[in-house]
Amino acid sequence: MTTLSLVMKPVSQMQLAPGSVVTIQDVSWQEFETILQELGEKRAARLAYSNFTLEIMVPLPEHEKPKDLISDIVKILLKQIGKKYEPFGSTTFKGENTAAVEPDACFYIQNYQIMINKRRLEINDPPPDLAIEIDVTSKTTLEAYRVIGVPELWIYDDGKLAIYLFSDGNYIKSDSSSIFPYIPVTQIIPATVARAWEVGTVQALEEFVIKIGGSSF
């Protein structure tokens, strides 16, 4: 009779191609923390954890252009309406020792002042006011956001921008942003991203700045 033995390899030795998503079930919070430490901060992969499920995602190269462009648009719009902010990129946000998520980009706006000198998050720090996800977001990722309670979540997928507002413990899809209530972001952001694929990011942003400069938001 042949006896099979389990082969244990560190997660850091996994070689995932861009666009890959690996789901690991029955992962405890302590195991998640160990994996997070093992992978380190300088990595292409992004993690989401909820309900004892860990997802490891490696973005495609074309994922980066919309991410950077939408982040730049948010900064321009915040300047346009006179709001200050602190960007926190793809920081790992944790909630109640049960969930964690790494946005493609995120911003502190209402709470920007208390985050100015933060080099690492502390347990009592609030979640970012706005998080941005590019491409299809899994159930695990959405559940992690729900636990952490990010007030506003943007999901850009297949050329469309969806806005979700956090209310009474759940996300509700909205036609408008609570941060930019008078700006049609679900229209202007996809249009600007599409334009960037045609003429390049710099020109698309220049055209965007000219367009909003002549608008009465």
Side-chain angles (χ1 to χ4, degrees), residues 38-95:
E38 176 190 325
L39 291 174
E41 296 181 357
K42 295 182 179 180
R43 51 182 162 82
R46 291 171 48 246
L47 308 180
Y49 176 85
S50 181
N51 292 327
F52 303 102
T53 299
L54 171 64
E55 283 193 351
I56 305 174
M57 299 153 280
V58 181
L60 290 165
E62 56 263 35
H63 174 106
E64 298 301 303
K65 188 166 187 170
K67 178 194 76 171
D68 291 341
L69 187 59
I70 294 173
S71 296
D72 287 340
I73 291 172
V74 169
K75 294 172 186 178
I76 292 168
L77 291 177
L78 287 170
K79 183 178 180 180
Q80 177 80 3
I81 64 175
K83 287 191 176 182
K84 296 182 179 180
Y85 63 89
E86 283 295 315
F88 264 65
S90 296
T91 299
T92 305
F93 294 93
K94 304 175 184 178

Side-chain angles (χ1 to χ4, degrees), residues 195-196 199-209:
R195 183 64 175 157
V199 301
T201 299
V202 173
Q203 183 173 329
L205 281 174
E206 289 175 346
E207 292 175 1
F208 175 75
V209 170

Side-chain angles (χ1 to χ4, degrees), residues 3 40 68 147 171 177 181 183:
T3 302
D68 291 341
V147 173
Y171 280 101
S177 165
I183 301 176

